[in-house]
């Protein structure tokens, strides 16, 4: 399976790292197209987050509209925007793709492929909620970065891992994770 992982400048870069690690841990994942927004790397540095290094990761510049994720013919299986700013949500919901992240998300919607937005914003305005509703109606999944406490996580890493587990599962990657009632 091949996925696009987009990282925007929202706080919570740990979610991106953990999601990528979850995807790379699966033998069914052969490629991750990584796209970072203009300020995403600055946020990652500020938060002390480094991304995994793996030969299956191919990074593309966010202004490279000729990169494979910009075209439906590249046939990626899905995409996660993690963490996602509400600005990215709004631009994709409005269909105004001006970056590779936005265009790749648009491609996922038009090709009816899996698209997950791990939104990292609070509180949410009515505009944010309407944009998320529009994306949901178009076929995307909105996964708020709201960690689960059911498994009694022992630290921030485990706590944030519950969101990364959900993101990978929503992309269709079978990983071992905590499940309620088991």
């Amino acid at each position: 399976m091949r996925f696009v992982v987009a990282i925007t400048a929202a706080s919570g870069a740990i979610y991106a790292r953990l999601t990528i690690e979850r995807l790379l841990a699966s033998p069914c994942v052969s490629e991750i197209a990584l796209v970072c927004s203009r300020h995403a790397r600055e946020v990652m540095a500020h938060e002390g987050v480094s991304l995994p290094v793996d030969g299956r990761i191919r990074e593309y510049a966010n202004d490279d509209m000729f990169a494979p994720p910009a075209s439906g013919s590249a046939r990626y299986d899905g995409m996660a925007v993690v963490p996602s700013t509400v600005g990215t949500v709004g631009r994709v919901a409005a269909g105004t793709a001006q970056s590779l992240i936005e265009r790749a998300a648009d491609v996922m919607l038009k090709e009816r492929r899996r698209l997950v937005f791990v939104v990292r914003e609070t509180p949410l305005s009515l505009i944010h909620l309407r944009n998320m509703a529009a994306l949901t109606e178009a076929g995307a999944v909105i996964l708020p970065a709201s960690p689960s406490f059911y498994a009694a996580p022992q630290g921030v890493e485990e706590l944030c891992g519950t969101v990364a587990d959900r993101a990978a599962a929503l992309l269709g990657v079978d990983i071992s994770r905590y499940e309620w009632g088991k």
Side-chain angles (χ1 to χ4, degrees):
M1 299 177 85
R2 300 169 62 235
F3 296 103
V4 178
V5 174
I7 304 172
T8 71
S11 179
I14 188 172
Y15 292 115
R17 178 180 60 80
L18 293 171
T19 299
I20 292 169
E21 287 174 356
R22 298 314 195 259
L23 294 174
L24 291 172
S26 173
C28 72
V29 175
S30 61
E31 179 185 340
I32 294 174
L34 176 65
V35 186
C36 294
S37 73
R38 191 168 124 216
H39 297 292
R41 292 275 180 192
E42 294 169 23
V43 173
M44 283 187 270
H46 178 76
E47 295 178 352
V49 173
S50 297
L51 298 178
V53 176
D54 188 287
R56 293 173 286 171
I57 298 173
R58 292 179 177 82
E59 188 165 359
Y60 299 97
N62 196 27
D63 64 352
D64 184 358
M65 298 302 269
F66 288 96
S71 174
S73 64
R75 304 186 139 226
Y76 287 96
D77 296 291
M79 176 177 179
V81 184
V82 53
S84 178
T85 62
V86 291
T88 301
V89 166
R91 288 185 296 278
V92 175
T96 58
Q98 296 182 0
S99 70
L100 181 56
I101 291 172
E102 296 156 8
R103 173 60 186 163
D106 191 47
V107 166
M108 292 297 136
L109 292 173
K110 77 180 187 70
E111 299 290 332
R112 307 293 193 264
R113 297 190 182 133
R114 295 172 191 250
L115 175 59
V116 178
F117 286 89
V118 180
V119 177
R120 237 301 299 131
E121 183 70 57
T122 191
L124 298 167
S125 74
L126 182 57
I127 294 167
H128 302 149
L129 294 168
R130 285 184 175 151
N131 287 335
M132 287 188 253
L135 286 176
T136 301
E137 290 168 346
V141 174
I142 304 298
L143 173 62
S146 299
S148 168
F149 293 85
Y150 298 121
Q154 300 301 302
V156 171
E157 186 96 2
E158 282 184 35
L159 186 63
C160 292
T162 64
V163 173
D165 289 350
R166 293 293 299 269
L170 287 166
L171 287 173
V173 176
D174 189 25
I175 60 169
S176 64
R177 62 188 175 99
Y178 175 80
E179 292 185 33
W180 181 259
K182 291 192 175 194

